Amino acid sequence: ILNVEQSPQSLHVQEGDSTNFTCSFPSSNFYALHWYRWETAKSPEALFVMTLNGDEKKKGRISATLNTKEGYSYLYIKGSQPEDSATYLCASHRVAGNKLTFGGGTRVLVKP
Amino acid sequence: GAVVSQHPSRVICKSGTSVKIECRSLDFQATTMFWYRQFPKQSLMLMATSNEGSKATYEQGVEKDKFLINHASLTLSTLTVTSAHPEDSSFYICSARVGQGASNSPLHFGNGTRLTVT
């Protein structure tokens, strides 16, 4: 994988249900993996920055895992609420340079 | 903390004119700021890295004479779209790390600027 890819592009979740989605990134020369939440009419907000293989981070009902060997990260939302509706972006940072490469995002819509 | 303010949020200009977009770090100093562009249904694409007191570093395919970047202080970077054309219509967003933040520190984003060139 040369680019950062996110799937699915969008998903609808019923309030109270849990969900997860994927970020795939180049595993070679890996340095860090970022997750951001981007709500409509607001600026992207950092959720997690992950660097270690096997790492798991949690913020409230949202958590993320990281597999640097195979180049993927999962983001989980437990007990989705309408306020979780947003586009979730992941971005990969490789060792060389100071550049973050973003995926296309997963748009999550939580239905009451 | 770590608030980035970007202005204007929306601008409409006529073809051939220039537009300046400002990106300010309100409560922290940013040695480096990043300018991204997003076309509809696409991901954020890095245009250039703005370095305080020195020249910006442009990504491949981005015309430096068209997208002028100035980073004159530790809290302000500007992007000027010169001689704008309809194909420059896009969403532009800036970001910064606190201080000389390492690559494993998060980016702080502005709200973005929607540019429409008529």
Side-chain angles (χ1 to χ4, degrees):
Chain A
I1 294 178
L2 297 179
N3 296 320
V4 179
E5 299 172 357
Q6 292 186 246
S7 64
Q9 286 187 327
S10 66
L11 61 93
H12 292 183
V13 186
Q14 200 65 38
E15 182 177 357
D17 288 351
S18 296
T19 188
N20 65 84
F21 37 93
T22 310
C23 172
S24 300
F25 54 88
S27 57
S28 61
N29 300 315
F30 172 83
Y31 186 79
L33 193 282
H34 294 223
W35 279 102
Y36 294 86
R37 175 170 55 200
W38 195 356
E39 296 178 66
T40 302
K42 295 186 178 180
S43 56
E45 171 196 4
L47 289 173
F48 308 112
V49 179
M50 308 174 78
T51 58
L52 299 176
N53 183 44
D55 200 6
E56 180 171 343
K57 295 210 172 185
K58 188 175 181 181
K59 185 176 184 178
R61 294 177 291 97
I62 300 176
S63 61
T65 60
L66 179 67
N67 183 322
T68 62
K69 304 296 183 186
E70 297 181 38
Y72 64 84
S73 175
Y74 291 121
L75 192 121
Y76 299 87
I77 304 176
K78 183 178 178 181
S80 303
Q81 300 297 310
E83 58 264 31
D84 296 327
S85 296
T87 297
Y88 291 82
L89 300 173
C90 71
S92 167
H93 191 118
R94 305 178 80 179
V95 173
N98 196 15
K99 175 180 175 179
L100 272 180
T101 301
F102 281 84
T106 294
R107 178 178 289 184
V108 175
L109 178 61
V110 181
K111 299 178 178 179
Chain B
V3 177
V4 175
S5 175
Q6 184 174 343
H7 291 283
S9 58
R10 189 178 295 269
V11 59
I12 300 173
C13 71
K14 291 187 176 181
S15 187
T17 62
S18 295
V19 173
K20 180 185 284 188
I21 303 170
E22 290 190 350
C23 180
R24 292 180 186 274
S25 55
L26 296 186
D27 51 1
F28 67 99
Q29 294 183 332
T31 306
T32 304
M33 291 186 175
F34 304 92
W35 286 95
Y36 289 86
R37 177 170 55 187
Q38 185 182 41
F39 291 108
K41 298 188 179 182
Q42 294 188 24
S43 60
L44 293 175
M45 296 296 295
L46 182 65
M47 297 176 65
T49 302
S50 170
N51 304 298
E52 186 269 335
S54 65
K55 292 182 179 180
T57 304
Y58 290 82
E59 293 300 302
Q60 190 173 10
V62 178
E63 298 176 58
K64 61 180 181 180
D65 294 331
K66 180 167 189 61
F67 299 99
L68 299 179
I69 290 175
N70 184 278
H71 194 154
S73 77
L74 287 171
T75 59
L76 174 64
S77 175
T78 60
L79 168 67
T80 301
V81 183
T82 63
S83 186
H85 287 93
E87 57 265 30
D88 298 324
S89 298
S90 188
F91 182 78
Y92 296 85
I93 189 167
C94 68
S95 66
R97 290 191 173 97
V98 175
Q100 297 184 13
S103 302
N104 58 357
S105 60
L107 291 179
H108 302 280
F109 285 87
N111 279 352
T113 298
R114 174 74 59 190
L115 171 64
T116 303
V117 185
T118 60

